Amino acid sequence: MNSEKWIDEELAHLREKSLERRLSVFGEAGGKIKIEGRTFLNFSSNDYLGLSRHPQVVSASRRYLESYGCGATASRLITGTLEPHAELERAIAALKGYGASLVFGSGFLANAGIIASLVGRSDHVFADKLVHASIIDGIALSRANLKRFRHNDPEHLESLLKECPRSGRKLVVTESVFSMDGDIAPLPEIISVAARYGAMTMVDEAHATGVFGPRGSGLIREYGLDDRVNVSMGTLSKALGGYGGFVACSPALRELLVNRARAFIYTTGLPPAVVGSAIGALAVIEKAGNPGAQLLGRAAVFRNRLQDADLNVLNSQSQIIPVLIGDNARALAVAQRLKSEGILAVAIRPPTVPEGTARLRLSLTLDHSEEDLEWAAREIAEACR
Ligand SMILES: *Cc1c(COP(=O)(O)O)cnc(C)c1O
């Protein structure tokens, strides 16, 4: 069709720069999967605790499916708030140490809905340079004025806050564990700076929830900052193995979001089976005590192996371990070679990461045994050589 000619040109342009992306279809999900009968270690799954196929999580999901049906059948403010939604929100608030919680359709929708409810056209948002795309889109939706501070740099944040006009609300946003670098924000320093300038604070714990902190409650709680961070955001779709997003906050903020967050109001409530899987996952974590600690221990050993082979893992301090490669085409070639050895490690390229920093992003999960990791570290070192 003539009206679509520009699409071919755009795609050709992506291909030239080795930036074209394609969907691959898999027969199963998780840290260890079979493809055409062959077992692969999957280092691109966010199923950190192996809960997506955990029998107790699956059976909890099934129980809610059978009791409540396939869909919430309405948006949350109409008749789409079922008992399971309320039960899950109580459990999240308790885990996170906040007075209230609100579940959204996804983490992306949570970020979009929260930020646009807290700030508007005459307000100011200060976000770390490396925050997730959903935070950036939430800020764009809010129409607030965006300033980005250098990655994990509270001093730069302070200089931006100092320059900012007094009028308007201020919001400081960061992640606790960064999704592409696997490093950790200096939360106590960032929160102190924000407090000095009267700014609200929001922390995205997508990759910390379930893994860091007492009973997987995240880093806000580990640092004892739950009474100082206004918005503790997270997702049900990573360590919890399911789908959906959430915020833990004060009861007043929850009420504001229920009234203002368009990404909450104008969409159907999460299906009961999905809510049930999150409730099941939280129960499994609670019973296990601290499954994240085991994962982090294995990650530390694995990281040492890669560093011993002279690979650059940036400042990773978590279960997410980048291996910096730089060039887009070379990153793709390394990923291709690892695949032929039985290791899935997707090459992450711009615009997901800054230009010239193409990398392998390795996510460890409890599906990877210590022996698996020893073997994988040797193969990765070999492929990068
Ligand atoms: C994955 C992710 C999200 C989005 O969560 P979904 O539930 O997958 O929509 C938000 N923030 C960060 C930092 C993430 O990594």
Side-chain angles (χ1 to χ4, degrees):
M1 250 183 297
N2 219 20
S3 58
E4 287 193 8
K5 213 168 133 240
W6 68 273
I7 297 178
D8 291 329
E9 286 162 16
E10 189 126 343
L11 292 175
H13 186 64
L14 286 176
R15 245 168 258 138
E16 261 164 44
K17 294 203 292 182
S18 298
L19 287 179
E20 188 193 30
R21 290 142 184 256
R22 281 173 187 282
L23 293 172
S24 308
V25 180
F26 294 92
E28 55 181 329
K32 201 183 261 187
I33 59 177
K34 279 212 170 73
I35 302 175
E36 290 167 2
R38 181 174 173 204
T39 301
F40 285 75
L41 290 185
N42 180 9
F43 284 101
S44 301
S45 166
N46 299 318
D47 187 19
Y48 301 128
L49 303 176
L51 294 181
S52 74
R53 294 179 291 181
H54 190 289
Q56 275 162 263
V57 178
V58 172
S59 72
S61 181
R62 188 179 295 125
R63 236 178 11 255
Y64 283 80
L65 169 68
E66 280 166 5
S67 301
Y68 294 93
C70 292
T73 78
S75 62
R76 291 282 307 271
L77 266 175
I78 309 304
T79 56
T81 297
L82 304 176
E83 285 157 357
H85 297 92
E87 181 185 358
L88 176 58
E89 287 170 355
R90 281 193 300 274
I92 292 170
L95 175 72
K96 296 281 180 176
Y98 280 78
S101 160
L102 188 67
V103 167
F104 285 74
S106 71
F108 192 108
L109 287 171
N111 278 334
I114 294 162
I115 298 172
S117 304
L118 292 177
V119 288
R121 218 185 274 281
S122 48
D123 302 326
H124 308 275
V125 183
F126 302 82
D128 185 285
K129 262 245 151 67
L130 296 189
V131 293
H132 192 259
S134 56
I135 293 175
I136 297 304
D137 287 5
I139 297 166
L141 207 53
S142 78
R143 298 189 176 87
N145 166 28
L146 168 62
K147 298 220 166 60
R148 306 194 70 172
F149 58 94
R150 285 194 290 269
H151 180 51
N152 284 348
D153 187 343
E155 282 171 26
H156 189 222
L157 167 63
E158 174 145 29
S159 72
L160 295 177
L161 280 162
K162 208 176 266 171
E163 286 166 8
C164 181
R166 274 174 182 280
S167 65
R169 286 195 285 266
K170 300 184 184 75
L171 172 67
V172 171
V173 191
T174 190
E175 293 173 26
S176 52
V177 173
F178 280 85
S179 57
M180 291 301 139
D181 289 49
D183 55 352
I184 290 177
L187 286 184
E189 290 81 3
I190 287 175
I191 302 309
S192 294
V193 170
R196 239 177 285 145
Y197 293 84
M200 298 179 283
T201 49
M202 169 168 176
V203 177
D204 180 332
E205 296 235 71
H207 299 278
T209 299
V211 177
F212 283 86
R215 290 174 190 280
S217 52
L219 279 162
I220 295 174
R221 215 154 186 200
E222 178 142 313
Y223 285 120
L225 293 169
D226 34 299
D227 56 353
R228 303 186 64 199
V229 173
N230 301 94
V231 180
S232 164
M233 176 271 171
T235 176
L236 306 171
S237 47
K238 285 168 182 154
L240 301 184
Y243 195 66
F246 64 83
V247 58
C249 59
S250 67
L253 178 46
R254 180 184 191 270
E255 197 175 331
L256 178 87
L257 293 172
V258 166
N259 284 278
R260 286 279 164 76
R262 295 168 64 86
F264 172 83
I265 297 169
Y266 296 105
T267 187
T268 301
L270 276 183
V274 172
V275 177
S277 77
I279 291 169
L282 290 175
V284 169
I285 292 173
E286 163 118 35
K287 195 143 170 248
N290 219 345
Q294 190 182 18
L295 177 67
L296 293 173
R298 286 185 200 173
V301 173
F302 184 69
R303 212 161 35 232
N304 285 340
R305 295 283 181 276
L306 297 177
Q307 282 173 319
D308 288 345
D310 284 330
L311 297 178
N312 183 354
V313 298
L314 302 175
N315 291 316
S316 165
Q317 290 175 270
S318 68
Q319 75 282 11
I320 299 168
I321 304 174
V323 176
L324 187 70
I325 293 182
D327 179 67
N328 296 338
R330 196 164 161 255
L332 284 177
V334 171
Q336 196 54 47
R337 163 156 181 181
L338 287 172
K339 188 169 180 196
S340 72
E341 302 298 332
I343 292 173
L344 296 183
V346 172
I348 308 280
R349 291 160 288 160
T352 310
V353 294
E355 206 66 51
T357 69
R359 66 196 64 180
L360 298 178
R361 175 185 179 274
L362 306 169
S363 286
L364 272 55
T365 82
L366 285 179
D367 288 340
H368 306 138
S369 69
E370 286 166 21
E371 300 77 64
D372 289 336
L373 293 174
E374 289 292 337
W375 170 76
R378 285 195 301 273
E379 293 293 335
I380 292 163
E382 191 64 33
C384 289
R385 214 165 275 141

PDB file of all heavy atoms in Angstrom, residues 203-215:
ATOM      1  N   VAL A 203       9.931   5.524  44.362  1.00  0.00           N
ATOM      2  CA  VAL A 203      10.958   4.525  44.041  1.00  0.00           C
ATOM      3  C   VAL A 203      10.292   3.326  43.358  1.00  0.00           C
ATOM      4  O   VAL A 203       9.340   2.750  43.878  1.00  0.00           O
ATOM      5  CB  VAL A 203      11.712   4.072  45.312  1.00  0.00           C
ATOM      6  CG1 VAL A 203      12.733   2.990  44.971  1.00  0.00           C
ATOM      7  CG2 VAL A 203      12.401   5.257  45.987  1.00  0.00           C
ATOM      8  N   ASP A 204      10.823   2.979  42.201  1.00  0.00           N
ATOM      9  CA  ASP A 204      10.342   1.826  41.439  1.00  0.00           C
ATOM     10  C   ASP A 204      11.142   0.598  41.884  1.00  0.00           C
ATOM     11  O   ASP A 204      12.344   0.514  41.666  1.00  0.00           O
ATOM     12  CB  ASP A 204      10.550   2.122  39.943  1.00  0.00           C
ATOM     13  CG  ASP A 204      10.084   0.994  39.027  1.00  0.00           C
ATOM     14  OD1 ASP A 204      10.099  -0.168  39.468  1.00  0.00           O
ATOM     15  OD2 ASP A 204       9.742   1.282  37.867  1.00  0.00           O
ATOM     16  N   GLU A 205      10.442  -0.343  42.525  1.00  0.00           N
ATOM     17  CA  GLU A 205      11.104  -1.547  43.059  1.00  0.00           C
ATOM     18  C   GLU A 205      10.784  -2.780  42.205  1.00  0.00           C
ATOM     19  O   GLU A 205      10.713  -3.899  42.735  1.00  0.00           O
ATOM     20  CB  GLU A 205      10.684  -1.772  44.516  1.00  0.00           C
ATOM     21  CG  GLU A 205      11.125  -0.653  45.450  1.00  0.00           C
ATOM     22  CD  GLU A 205      11.934  -1.173  46.632  1.00  0.00           C
ATOM     23  OE1 GLU A 205      13.087  -1.603  46.423  1.00  0.00           O
ATOM     24  OE2 GLU A 205      11.392  -1.143  47.744  1.00  0.00           O
ATOM     25  N   ALA A 206      10.627  -2.578  40.904  1.00  0.00           N
ATOM     26  CA  ALA A 206      10.277  -3.707  40.012  1.00  0.00           C
ATOM     27  C   ALA A 206      11.229  -4.884  40.186  1.00  0.00           C
ATOM     28  O   ALA A 206      10.797  -6.039  40.224  1.00  0.00           O
ATOM     29  CB  ALA A 206      10.264  -3.239  38.555  1.00  0.00           C
ATOM     30  N   HIS A 207      12.527  -4.609  40.291  1.00  0.00           N
ATOM     31  CA  HIS A 207      13.505  -5.702  40.344  1.00  0.00           C
ATOM     32  C   HIS A 207      13.968  -6.030  41.764  1.00  0.00           C
ATOM     33  O   HIS A 207      14.760  -6.948  41.956  1.00  0.00           O
ATOM     34  CB  HIS A 207      14.706  -5.375  39.463  1.00  0.00           C
ATOM     35  CG  HIS A 207      14.311  -5.216  38.035  1.00  0.00           C
ATOM     36  ND1 HIS A 207      14.132  -6.283  37.186  1.00  0.00           N
ATOM     37  CD2 HIS A 207      13.994  -4.108  37.321  1.00  0.00           C
ATOM     38  CE1 HIS A 207      13.752  -5.846  36.006  1.00  0.00           C
ATOM     39  NE2 HIS A 207      13.650  -4.531  36.056  1.00  0.00           N
ATOM     40  N   ALA A 208      13.520  -5.264  42.742  1.00  0.00           N
ATOM     41  CA  ALA A 208      13.922  -5.524  44.130  1.00  0.00           C
ATOM     42  C   ALA A 208      12.857  -6.324  44.871  1.00  0.00           C
ATOM     43  O   ALA A 208      13.173  -7.125  45.755  1.00  0.00           O
ATOM     44  CB  ALA A 208      14.179  -4.204  44.854  1.00  0.00           C
ATOM     45  N   THR A 209      11.596  -6.124  44.496  1.00  0.00           N
ATOM     46  CA  THR A 209      10.492  -6.817  45.163  1.00  0.00           C
ATOM     47  C   THR A 209      10.659  -8.334  45.043  1.00  0.00           C
ATOM     48  O   THR A 209      10.885  -8.845  43.948  1.00  0.00           O
ATOM     49  CB  THR A 209       9.145  -6.378  44.540  1.00  0.00           C
ATOM     50  OG1 THR A 209       8.999  -4.972  44.725  1.00  0.00           O
ATOM     51  CG2 THR A 209       7.972  -7.099  45.181  1.00  0.00           C
ATOM     52  N   GLY A 210      10.580  -9.023  46.166  1.00  0.00           N
ATOM     53  CA  GLY A 210      10.731 -10.482  46.160  1.00  0.00           C
ATOM     54  C   GLY A 210      12.173 -10.922  46.320  1.00  0.00           C
ATOM     55  O   GLY A 210      12.432 -12.065  46.678  1.00  0.00           O
ATOM     56  N   VAL A 211      13.113 -10.032  46.030  1.00  0.00           N
ATOM     57  CA  VAL A 211      14.529 -10.424  46.027  1.00  0.00           C
ATOM     58  C   VAL A 211      15.289  -9.788  47.194  1.00  0.00           C
ATOM     59  O   VAL A 211      15.982 -10.464  47.943  1.00  0.00           O
ATOM     60  CB  VAL A 211      15.189 -10.040  44.685  1.00  0.00           C
ATOM     61  CG1 VAL A 211      16.685 -10.372  44.707  1.00  0.00           C
ATOM     62  CG2 VAL A 211      14.500 -10.754  43.520  1.00  0.00           C
ATOM     63  N   PHE A 212      15.161  -8.465  47.350  1.00  0.00           N
ATOM     64  CA  PHE A 212      15.885  -7.747  48.401  1.00  0.00           C
ATOM     65  C   PHE A 212      14.978  -7.492  49.603  1.00  0.00           C
ATOM     66  O   PHE A 212      13.750  -7.472  49.472  1.00  0.00           O
ATOM     67  CB  PHE A 212      16.371  -6.390  47.870  1.00  0.00           C
ATOM     68  CG  PHE A 212      17.580  -6.501  46.974  1.00  0.00           C
ATOM     69  CD1 PHE A 212      17.445  -6.744  45.620  1.00  0.00           C
ATOM     70  CD2 PHE A 212      18.861  -6.373  47.498  1.00  0.00           C
ATOM     71  CE1 PHE A 212      18.552  -6.854  44.791  1.00  0.00           C
ATOM     72  CE2 PHE A 212      19.977  -6.474  46.686  1.00  0.00           C
ATOM     73  CZ  PHE A 212      19.826  -6.711  45.327  1.00  0.00           C
ATOM     74  N   GLY A 213      15.617  -7.257  50.742  1.00  0.00           N
ATOM     75  CA  GLY A 213      14.866  -6.830  51.923  1.00  0.00           C
ATOM     76  C   GLY A 213      14.252  -7.983  52.675  1.00  0.00           C
ATOM     77  O   GLY A 213      14.149  -9.096  52.146  1.00  0.00           O
ATOM     78  N   PRO A 214      13.818  -7.709  53.923  1.00  0.00           N
ATOM     79  CA  PRO A 214      13.203  -8.764  54.731  1.00  0.00           C
ATOM     80  C   PRO A 214      11.975  -9.343  54.027  1.00  0.00           C
ATOM     81  O   PRO A 214      11.111  -8.593  53.592  1.00  0.00           O
ATOM     82  CB  PRO A 214      12.818  -8.053  56.036  1.00  0.00           C
ATOM     83  CG  PRO A 214      13.223  -6.622  55.905  1.00  0.00           C
ATOM     84  CD  PRO A 214      13.925  -6.424  54.616  1.00  0.00           C
ATOM     85  N   ARG A 215      11.930 -10.641  53.876  1.00  0.00           N
ATOM     86  CA  ARG A 215      10.837 -11.343  53.179  1.00  0.00           C
ATOM     87  C   ARG A 215      10.544 -10.775  51.794  1.00  0.00           C
ATOM     88  O   ARG A 215       9.392 -10.696  51.354  1.00  0.00           O
ATOM     89  CB  ARG A 215       9.552 -11.297  54.004  1.00  0.00           C
ATOM     90  CG  ARG A 215       9.659 -12.152  55.235  1.00  0.00           C
ATOM     91  CD  ARG A 215       8.451 -11.986  56.132  1.00  0.00           C
ATOM     92  NE  ARG A 215       8.697 -12.632  57.407  1.00  0.00           N
ATOM     93  CZ  ARG A 215       8.574 -13.952  57.604  1.00  0.00           C
ATOM     94  NH1 ARG A 215       8.190 -14.742  56.649  1.00  0.00           N
ATOM     95  NH2 ARG A 215       8.835 -14.450  58.784  1.00  0.00           N
TER      96      ARG A 215
END
